[in-house]
Amino acid sequence: MQIIEVHTKSRPSEVYCGAGALEEARRFLKDKDVFVVTDENVAQIYGGRIGEWFPKAVVCTVKAGERRKNRGTLFQIIDKMLEAQLHRNSVVAALGGGVIGDMAGFAASVYMRGTRIVQIPTTLLAQVDSSVGGKPAIDYGGVKNVLGAFYQPERVFCDPLFLQTLPPREIRCGLGEIIKTGVLDAKIGDRIAENASEITDLTFLREIVADCVRFKAKIVARDETESSGLRKCLNLGHTTGHALELAYGRRSHGEYVLIGMWLESLIAEREGVCTPAWAEHVRKLVSLAEKKIPTFENVRSVLRFALLDKKNAERGSVSMILPKCRGKYGELVLSAERYAEYLGLLQERRA
Amino acid sequence: MQIIEVHTKSRPSEVYCGAGALEEARRFLKDKDVFVVTDENVAQIYGGRIGEWFPKAVVCTVKAGERRKNRGTLFQIIDKMLEAQLHRNSVVAALGGGVIGDMAGFAASVYMRGTRIVQIPTTLLAQVDSSVGGKPAIDYGGVKNVLGAFYQPERVFCDPLFLQTLPPREIRCGLGEIIKTGVLDAKIGDRIAENASEITDLTFLREIVADCVRFKAKIVARDETESSGLRKCLNLGHTTGHALELAYGRRSHGEYVLIGMWLESLIAEREGVCTPAWAEHVRKLVSLAEKKIPTFENVRSVLRFALLDKKNAERGSVSMILPKCRGKYGELVLSAERYAEYLGLLQERRA
């Protein structure tokens, strides 16, 4: 097992990666006042075992799904926290995927202006990305992650045990963020390319999780609150990805990020931000997880959502992080009109 | 005009105190994308002038009153922020009393994980206390300030202009926090005692505001998030004060703090935390603003609310900050039973 430290200004955070991480979580929570937030999927798979892992904990189980990452579920969790009379020294444990991690993390950040929080991510996406870095949020008013906080978990426990029960769709979702990290970090990108044929194997995934966490920890430590601009790089593929997710909402977050990276590699190439060869390399990585980019009808609503994105510094424009060349990336701001033209590429039928 | 700096870890904050502060606010906000949050009372008194002060701002006016510091109003503000398409670089300006400052501050802290915020407090209580230090919160589920954030305003503008239109009840409310500061800081306490006959005069208040802000700035700079325990001293009188406020809710926050200090000075004396002479001194200061401590019926619900207070480190006990002697104070934890006995003193008829 590896222990990766995230040195942020607000609070140090430790990520335990590998077999035995769940045991570490149990040890850490043993003598504490614990409040577990989980969802019906996790509860169905692990059932009584949750009670065995955390014998004295109050367990709050909410409905599963990306669409539940909303105000209603947030207050359902908060109501239960109040009912359990949690104090600032109590520890909230998010046991689930990114949605649970986000909602429990946000609830913990506002409850009494901050209760302790640990993350026990059960999906590949959450292990590789969302559980680390302390950016919990909920969707509201049709905008992704528009209400949230910068709030570091004290510890994150990424145990490969949980990956065994994941459906293929969830694996592909996690691959979206893994491939994004591979575009940002050339060494990770090389490892993905070298292992192209077994990227869904658990042995490969187990190792790449720690690599991705280590990369993210470095970025987060240098720019916890996205103030220097450095952390923005983690949003590669996300401008279009998030807007697609809001406009269509049937695929998973990771898949939309893959599709977003695909479109944005074309934008990067045509805007002269990126060489054609590197853009091709990005699309090749994307294709490892998303064999065929789907065709979308009526992309106008995608533009509307992209304009509402909180990463935009100005109204009426769309800002995105684009790949430049090996190990390099940069921000580009496009006018709404220009971005709308590029969105048209998503409507074209592809071979 | 005085400029007091609050050196916190998260973000430096500047407080402008004195005549001309509103002018400073106008200058600061002039070229920015401004969103003013205010309430119907302020809007009624200052009406069209708000539009003159901030010509290009979007103004969000909510209903006035302590009872509105809730989830409904918070989301009313957030909805309007979304409608105005605020970005992270937009500036939210809280123009009102403590309730407006709290709600606008909390909304700004969660919107896009943090939008810029300035405070323009219009009541004595807000100028002297709540606008400074970045602890916005709302009441929820019957618990005072249970949802909130540690989030510093960039600037605070305390202009005595606003104090001229305050009703006596609002002045007394502010005096609650001023007298609390006088118990914590002996020099401020002496100044209050020396000016006993004119503590409601604007000339006196104008000066004491800056003194109280300077005291609070020192404390907040050393313990922004109440982690070292130092900042807890600002809660003197608030354990009982908040619980009374929740149980009865008709008087103002400041009045309940005064009553809370009165009861807690008796507790301090009887528990041997404080000399009888110093407890008497505290009660004398309290009496300058609250001539006669009212009698309360049925104090059982007060106990229930006190037990829910987030300052309690353990369940089943009540924690409070008590005066010890000149310039000294300390924390005391009482069992629920013991505290309930003391609450009985509030039921007794007084001469």
Side-chain angles (χ1 to χ4, degrees):
Chain A
M1 194 171 51
Q2 302 183 46
I3 303 173
I4 298 160
E5 290 181 19
V6 190
H7 299 281
T8 54
K9 203 170 97 175
S10 67
R11 171 157 53 169
S13 182
E14 278 181 350
V15 188
Y16 291 72
C17 283
L22 178 61
E23 264 318 302
E24 283 292 337
R26 292 182 62 182
R27 206 167 311 156
F28 180 74
L29 297 173
K30 207 175 161 200
D31 304 313
K32 301 189 170 71
D33 194 23
V34 181
F35 183 86
V36 174
V37 182
T38 193
D39 69 25
E40 290 180 347
N41 283 351
V42 177
Q44 205 188 345
I45 299 170
Y46 295 98
R49 285 211 264 165
I50 297 173
E52 284 165 32
W53 295 336
F54 313 109
K56 283 180 298 180
V58 173
V59 180
C60 170
T61 308
V62 300
K63 285 200 192 303
E66 190 75 34
R67 277 165 187 269
R68 305 285 178 173
K69 208 175 87 169
N70 58 25
R71 173 172 61 166
T73 321
L74 177 75
F75 277 89
Q76 200 182 320
I77 295 169
I78 288 171
D79 287 342
K80 189 108 186 195
M81 289 168 83
L82 273 166
E83 198 187 303
Q85 295 189 31
L86 291 204
H87 284 259
R88 267 194 196 156
N89 253 335
S90 308
V91 184
V92 176
L95 178 71
V99 172
I100 288 298
D102 262 6
M103 285 190 303
F106 187 32
S109 81
V110 298
Y111 187 83
M112 299 194 171
R113 297 195 188 89
T115 317
R116 301 168 73 182
I117 170 92
V118 300
Q119 297 277 350
I120 309 172
T122 59
T123 65
L124 183 59
L125 175 74
Q127 292 199 357
V128 92
D129 185 53
S130 63
S131 67
V132 176
K135 270 182 61 182
I138 60 165
D139 306 335
Y140 182 72
V143 189
K144 287 288 298 171
N145 297 326
V146 73
L147 303 180
F150 290 105
Y151 194 68
Q152 297 302 326
E154 264 181 62
R155 310 228 170 160
V156 183
F157 302 96
C158 300
D159 200 309
L161 161 90
F162 296 109
L163 304 182
Q164 290 166 18
T165 53
L166 284 185
R169 183 179 186 271
E170 280 294 337
I171 296 287
R172 190 156 58 167
C173 179
L175 283 175
E177 296 290 350
I178 291 173
I179 287 169
K180 178 202 79 180
T181 311
V183 173
L184 296 169
D185 183 282
K187 275 193 194 158
I188 292 176
D190 291 346
R191 289 200 52 200
I192 296 169
E194 285 158 18
N195 293 275
S197 56
E198 54 259 4
I199 58 162
T200 57
D201 290 4
L202 280 186
T203 25
F204 172 73
L205 292 175
R206 209 174 295 173
E207 285 167 33
I208 206 84
V209 164
D211 292 340
C212 290
V213 166
R214 202 172 292 110
F215 174 80
K216 187 164 179 182
K218 245 187 332 196
I219 301 285
V220 170
R222 287 164 63 194
D223 181 20
E224 183 180 7
T225 57
E226 290 180 351
S227 39
S228 80
L230 180 70
R231 187 168 181 166
K232 275 191 188 168
C233 75
L234 300 175
N235 289 319
L236 189 123
H238 281 64
T239 297
T240 305
H242 270 164
L244 285 168
E245 200 174 341
L246 284 164
Y248 302 101
R250 287 156 96 228
R251 290 178 177 79
S252 72
H253 171 74
E255 281 180 79
Y256 283 121
V257 168
L258 288 163
I259 300 166
M261 278 193 282
W262 175 85
L263 182 73
E264 293 177 10
S265 77
L266 288 171
I267 296 176
E269 190 178 339
R270 298 187 188 187
E271 292 286 327
V273 172
C274 171
T275 61
W278 188 250
E280 191 51 51
H281 167 77
V282 171
R283 288 192 290 274
K284 209 160 179 179
L285 283 177
V286 166
S287 73
L288 295 178
E290 192 74 14
K291 302 266 176 272
K292 187 169 178 277
I293 301 299
T295 299
F296 294 87
E297 306 290 335
N298 185 14
V299 293
R300 226 166 329 158
S301 60
V302 182
L303 174 66
R304 189 164 61 83
F305 287 117
L307 284 169
L308 275 175
D309 196 300
K310 65 186 164 307
K311 296 184 285 295
N312 302 326
E314 293 160 41
R315 284 186 198 161
S317 68
V318 177
S319 156
M320 65 193 77
I321 299 295
L322 297 178
K324 280 181 159 178
C325 57
R326 194 176 160 83
K328 290 239 159 80
Y329 33 80
E331 191 171 8
L332 183 78
V333 178
L334 285 181
S335 69
E337 297 71 31
R338 187 98 178 185
Y339 181 66
E341 282 173 36
Y342 285 120
L343 284 176
L345 295 171
L346 288 169
Q347 296 192 146
E348 292 174 8
R349 307 248 152 242
R350 279 170 289 280
Chain B
M1 195 173 47
Q2 303 183 47
I3 303 173
I4 299 160
E5 290 181 20
V6 190
H7 299 281
T8 55
K9 204 171 96 175
S10 68
R11 172 157 52 169
S13 181
E14 278 180 349
V15 188
Y16 292 71
C17 283
L22 178 62
E23 264 318 303
E24 283 292 336
R26 293 181 61 181
R27 206 169 310 156
F28 180 74
L29 296 172
K30 206 175 163 199
D31 304 312
K32 300 190 172 69
D33 193 23
V34 181
F35 182 87
V36 174
V37 181
T38 193
D39 69 25
E40 289 180 348
N41 283 352
V42 178
Q44 205 189 345
I45 299 170
Y46 296 99
R49 284 211 265 165
I50 297 173
E52 284 166 32
W53 295 335
F54 314 108
K56 283 179 299 182
V58 173
V59 180
C60 169
T61 308
V62 300
K63 287 203 190 302
E66 190 75 35
R67 276 163 188 269
R68 305 286 178 174
K69 206 175 89 168
N70 58 24
R71 173 171 61 166
T73 320
L74 177 75
F75 277 89
Q76 200 183 320
I77 295 169
I78 288 171
D79 287 342
K80 189 110 186 195
M81 289 169 83
L82 272 167
E83 196 187 304
Q85 293 188 31
L86 291 204
H87 284 259
R88 268 197 195 154
N89 253 335
S90 308
V91 185
V92 176
L95 178 72
V99 173
I100 287 298
D102 262 6
M103 284 192 302
F106 188 31
S109 81
V110 298
Y111 186 83
M112 298 194 170
R113 297 195 189 88
T115 317
R116 302 169 71 181
I117 170 93
V118 301
Q119 297 276 350
I120 310 172
T122 59
T123 65
L124 182 59
L125 174 75
Q127 293 198 357
V128 94
D129 184 52
S130 64
S131 68
V132 176
K135 270 183 61 181
I138 60 166
D139 305 334
Y140 182 72
V143 189
K144 285 289 299 170
N145 298 326
V146 74
L147 303 180
F150 290 106
Y151 194 69
Q152 296 303 325
E154 264 180 64
R155 309 222 172 166
V156 182
F157 304 96
C158 301
D159 199 310
L161 161 91
F162 295 110
L163 304 182
Q164 291 165 17
T165 54
L166 283 185
R169 183 180 187 271
E170 280 294 337
I171 295 286
R172 190 158 54 166
C173 179
L175 283 176
E177 296 290 349
I178 291 173
I179 287 170
K180 178 201 79 180
T181 311
V183 174
L184 295 170
D185 184 284
K187 276 193 192 160
I188 293 177
D190 291 346
R191 289 200 50 200
I192 297 169
E194 285 157 19
N195 293 274
S197 57
E198 54 258 3
I199 58 163
T200 57
D201 289 5
L202 280 186
T203 25
F204 171 71
L205 293 175
R206 208 173 296 173
E207 285 167 35
I208 206 83
V209 164
D211 292 340
C212 289
V213 166
R214 202 172 293 109
F215 174 79
K216 187 165 180 181
K218 245 188 329 194
I219 300 285
V220 170
R222 287 165 63 194
D223 181 21
E224 183 180 8
T225 56
E226 291 181 350
S227 39
S228 79
L230 180 70
R231 187 167 181 167
K232 274 190 188 168
C233 75
L234 301 175
N235 289 319
L236 190 123
H238 281 63
T239 297
T240 304
H242 271 163
L244 285 169
E245 199 173 343
L246 283 164
Y248 302 100
R250 289 156 94 227
R251 291 179 176 78
S252 73
H253 170 76
E255 279 180 80
Y256 283 120
V257 169
L258 288 163
I259 301 166
M261 280 191 283
W262 175 85
L263 183 71
E264 293 177 10
S265 77
L266 289 171
I267 297 178
E269 189 177 340
R270 298 188 187 187
E271 292 286 326
V273 172
C274 172
T275 62
W278 189 251
E280 192 50 50
H281 167 77
V282 170
R283 288 193 289 274
K284 208 160 180 178
L285 283 176
V286 166
S287 73
L288 295 178
E290 192 74 14
K291 303 264 175 274
K292 187 170 177 278
I293 302 298
T295 299
F296 293 87
E297 306 292 334
N298 184 14
V299 292
R300 228 168 326 159
S301 60
V302 182
L303 174 65
R304 189 164 60 82
F305 287 117
L307 284 169
L308 275 174
D309 196 296
K310 63 186 166 309
K311 295 185 286 296
N312 301 328
E314 292 161 43
R315 286 186 197 158
S317 67
V318 177
S319 156
M320 65 193 76
I321 299 295
L322 297 179
K324 280 181 157 177
C325 57
R326 194 175 160 84
K328 290 239 158 79
Y329 35 81
E331 191 172 8
L332 183 78
V333 179
L334 285 182
S335 70
E337 296 70 34
R338 187 99 180 184
Y339 181 66
E341 282 173 35
Y342 286 120
L343 284 176
L345 295 170
L346 288 169
Q347 297 192 147
E348 293 173 7
R349 306 251 151 240
R350 278 171 287 281

